[in-house]
Amino acid sequence: MKWPKTLSIADARKMQERLQKKVRLTPFKWEPRYVAGVDASFMENRVVAVACLYRYPDLTLAEKASAGEKLKFPYVPGFLSFREGPAIITAVRKLATKPDVILVDGQGIAHPRGIGIASHLGVLLDIPAIGCAKSRLVGAFSEPGRRKGSWSPLSFEGRTVGAAVRTKDNVRPLFISPGHKIDLDGAIRIALGCSGRYRIPEPIRCADMLSKKLKARE
């Protein structure tokens, strides 16, 4: 499915509905070799996206790629994919090595229509994807334990759509949700495996910091 050059909110909603039907949540029991973190920074009329590729599980940086594009979609809650997705896809495709998993600063299926940016990107790139959001968009949860690795399910409309996961002792949890071609257990395992000294998984931290540096240069 190609990304339209122009898109209304109504058209974006229809595209989400089509893509949501393609989301697949499947067990992910093997160990990836490469994990990419993606993020984007915004200027008035442009977006800069970065993909940072890490070797797994030792978390050494293998490669970085970036892409800048003109903004074509307004900020609308629940439609983040259309604002930064095209540039992120370009950045990921610039990587010489295809990632086995993508970590996204945003939601997977923990989304009002079950198609957050991690699910959206996962389907379009045909790569397992995990949403690692700093805040909750939908659902209810109980506070997990205070130690790293503790988690509690995130429930929305009668189903489990993710988890509140403690990625570092005594810090606010991240909201981890499977995006595509991975299940919740696999999403939590990989997200924790990519979390080191900080609350945010290292590949996403890299992408966030680099996107801000590139933004400052433009």
Side-chain angles (χ1 to χ4, degrees), residues 108-178:
I109 63 167
H111 179 275
R113 290 171 292 282
I115 184 79
I117 186 169
S119 297
H120 201 135
L121 294 174
V123 170
L124 291 182
L125 289 166
D126 192 29
I127 297 174
I130 302 168
C132 303
K134 294 185 284 292
S135 59
R136 174 183 49 146
L137 181 61
V138 298
F141 70 101
S142 298
E143 192 72 16
R146 302 302 300 177
R147 301 300 298 271
K148 178 178 179 178
S150 300
W151 65 274
S152 61
L154 176 68
S155 300
F156 178 60
E157 296 184 340
R159 62 187 291 237
T160 298
V161 295
V165 180
R166 201 77 69 185
T167 52
K168 183 183 177 183
D169 290 356
N170 299 313
V171 300
R172 289 178 292 119
L174 282 188
F175 293 91
I176 306 299
S177 57

Side-chain angles (χ1 to χ4, degrees), residues 47-83:
V47 55
V48 177
V50 171
C52 290
L53 187 75
Y54 278 70
R55 298 178 185 88
Y56 188 92
D58 59 310
L59 294 185
T60 55
L61 181 62
E63 189 181 350
K64 297 178 286 188
S66 63
E69 295 188 6
K70 183 177 179 181
L71 277 173
K72 300 175 184 178
F73 199 84
Y75 172 74
V76 182
F79 293 90
L80 178 65
S81 311
F82 300 95
R83 188 164 170 83

